C-alpha cells in the first residue's frame, strides 16, 4: 500500500495511491482510517511531505564503498564501524517531492547528494530484539541527504552542512509492501545514471539499528531513520535535477537552484 500526503483544492489529505489515482482517506495511517469515494488523478495533486517526524534519526558511513571513498579523499585507511551508530537531522531541512533544494548564495560549489532508504516507524516501541524489530516498521520512503562539503570540513558538527533549509528532500510517499532484499537504489542527475547499489547491502542493516536505538530511546509512530548511502556524488550545479529510485518504493525528484546573490 502506498500512503500519500497530498493537497488538492487547497485541502491537505491522506490518500492511497493505486495506479495513477489517489483515493482520499479519512483519518491517517497511524490511527483509524477509512477509504472515501473521493479520488484524484495523481498528476493533478500537490505531493506533500509524507510526514514530519517526531524524531529524525540518520545513519552515516553504512556502506563499504562509501566508507572507502570517504577515506581515500581524506588520505586515510577506512575505519569500518564495529557497532551501529546514529545521528540526527533537523526538521527544518525537510522538503517534499518536486520542491527545490535551495543552495545558499554564499555556499561553495561542493554541494553533494546522497540517495537513502528511509525507514518509517509505525508504533511505539522500546527494547526491540532480532525477533521483534521489524514489527515496528510501517514502511519505507526515500531521502536525499544533501551536504555542503566545505562547511562539513570546517565545522565540528554538521549543523549547517547537513541541516540548512531544504537540504533534506523526502518522499514521495510511504510504501508498506516493499521487500528489502529486492531493493536497488539508482540515482540520476539530469537523466544520467550516476550511482547504483543494492539498497540492503549495508554494514549494519535495519534490524541492528532498531535494536541499538531502542536500548536508549522510545520510537514513536512517524519517526524516521535514514539508512545511509553508497558511492560518491558529483558536484551539483544550479538547475540540476536529482532523481533517486528505489525498487518497490518509488522515485524522489528534486531540482537544485542557487539562491540569487
Amino acid at each position: 500500500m502506498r500512503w500519500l500526503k497530498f493537497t488538492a483544492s487547497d485541502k491537505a489529505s491522506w490518500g492511497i495511491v493505486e495506479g495513477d489515482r489517489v483515493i482520499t482517506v479519512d483519518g491517517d495511517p497511524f490511527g483509524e482510517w477509512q477509504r472515501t469515494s473521493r479520488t484524484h488523478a495523481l498528476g493533478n495533486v500537490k505531493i506533500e511531505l509524507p510526514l514530519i517526524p517526531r524524531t529524525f534519526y540518520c545513519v552515516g558511513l553504512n556502506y563499504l564503498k562509501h566508507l572507502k571513498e570517504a577515506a581515500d579523499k581524506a588520505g586515510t585507511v577506512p575505519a569500518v564501524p564495529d557497532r551501529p551508530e546514529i545521528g540526527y537531522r533537523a526538521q527544518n531541512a525537510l522538503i517534499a517531492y518536486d520542491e527545490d533544494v535551495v543552495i545558499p548564495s554564499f555556499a561553495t560549489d561542493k554541494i553533494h547528494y546522497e540517495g537513502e532508504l528511509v525507514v518509517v516507524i509505525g508504533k511505539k516501541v522500546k527494547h526491540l530484539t532480532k525477533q521483534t524489530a521489524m514489527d515496528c516498521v510501517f514502511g519505507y520512503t526515500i531521502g536525499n541527504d544533501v551536504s555542503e562539503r566545505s562547511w562539513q570540513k570546517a565545522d565540528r558538527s554538521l549543523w549547517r552542512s547537513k541541516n540548512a533549509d531544504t537540504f533534506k528532500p523526502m518522499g514521495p510517499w510511504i510504501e508498506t509492501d516493499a521487500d528489502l532484499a529486492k531493493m536497488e537504489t539508482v540515482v540520476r542527475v539530469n537523466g544520467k545514471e550516476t550511482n547504483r547499489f543494492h539498497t540492503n547491502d549495508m554494514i549494519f542493516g535495519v534490524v541492528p539499528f532498531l535494536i541499538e536505538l531502542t536500548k536508549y530511546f522510545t520510537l514513536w509512530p512517524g519517526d524516521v531513520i535514514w539508512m545511509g548511502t553508497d558511492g560518491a556524488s558529483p558536484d551539483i550545479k544550479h538547475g540540476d535535477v536529482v532523481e533517486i529510485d528505489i525498487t518497490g518504493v518509488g522515485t524522489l525528484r528534486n531540482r537544485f537552484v542557487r539562491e540569487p546573490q
Side-chain angles (χ1 to χ4, degrees):
M1 186 177 291
R2 286 183 170 173
W3 283 95
L4 177 73
K5 194 74 176 288
F6 70 95
T7 296
S9 302
D10 297 323
K11 183 178 180 181
S13 306
W14 279 101
I16 296 169
V17 178
E18 293 184 350
D20 61 357
R21 306 292 297 177
V22 184
I23 297 94
T24 304
V25 166
D26 285 338
D28 69 79
F30 303 105
E32 295 185 357
W33 60 273
Q34 59 182 6
R35 290 172 179 248
T36 72
S37 60
R38 304 186 301 276
T39 68
H40 303 272
L42 181 59
N44 291 340
V45 304
K46 165 67 171 68
I47 296 176
E48 304 290 356
L49 275 166
L51 46 79
I52 302 292
R54 174 178 175 139
T55 307
F56 184 172
Y57 298 101
C58 63
V59 175
L61 300 177
N62 198 28
Y63 290 80
L64 285 173
K65 185 179 177 184
H66 185 62
L67 188 70
K68 184 178 184 303
E69 288 174 342
D72 288 347
K73 286 182 179 179
T76 60
V77 176
V80 179
D82 58 3
R83 61 186 174 89
E85 293 193 35
I86 204 79
Y88 301 91
R89 295 291 179 263
Q91 292 176 344
N92 67 278
L94 289 166
I95 58 170
Y97 172 90
D98 243 1
E99 294 182 346
D100 289 344
V101 177
V102 179
I103 304 168
S105 61
F106 47 86
T108 71
D109 293 333
K110 294 298 179 183
I111 305 294
H112 292 171
Y113 64 77
E114 293 178 353
E116 304 198 11
L117 178 70
V118 178
V119 179
V120 180
I121 303 302
K123 63 181 181 180
K124 181 182 176 182
V125 289
K126 196 172 184 184
H127 300 306
L128 292 169
T129 66
K130 284 184 179 181
Q131 291 71 36
T132 63
M134 293 301 290
D135 294 344
C136 76
V137 175
F138 177 73
Y140 304 96
T141 187
I142 303 168
N144 185 348
D145 184 10
V146 177
S147 305
E148 210 283 15
R149 297 300 191 192
S150 66
W151 297 347
Q152 187 172 342
K153 289 180 180 179
D155 299 338
R156 288 181 294 177
S157 72
L158 304 175
W159 70 278
R160 55 175 176 161
S161 64
K162 295 277 190 179
N163 294 312
D165 288 346
T166 76
F167 272 24
K168 292 294 169 284
M170 184 171 72
W173 45 60
I174 305 169
E175 173 59 60
T176 64
D177 297 326
D179 185 346
L180 266 173
K182 296 179 180 178
M183 289 182 188
E184 186 173 48
T185 300
V186 180
V187 185
R188 298 178 179 88
V189 178
N190 303 327
K192 180 180 178 181
E193 184 176 315
T194 60
N195 199 7
R196 179 185 292 260
F197 58 93
H198 293 292
T199 314
N200 202 31
D201 191 19
M202 305 171 190
I203 298 171
F204 294 102
V206 174
V207 169
F209 272 100
L210 289 171
I211 293 170
E212 186 70 13
L213 262 173
T214 59
K215 288 179 184 178
Y216 309 96
F217 308 120
T218 300
L219 293 178
W220 295 84
D223 282 350
V224 296
I225 309 170
W226 290 38
M227 293 303 302
T229 194
D230 209 355
S233 163
D235 295 342
I236 295 298
K237 307 181 301 299
H238 172 80
D240 284 347
V241 175
V242 175
E243 293 176 300
I244 301 164
D245 181 86
I246 298 183
T247 309
V249 181
T251 302
L252 174 64
R253 182 182 69 211
N254 298 89
R255 184 178 61 146
F256 285 64
V257 297
R258 183 169 285 272
E259 191 177 47
Q261 293 279 353

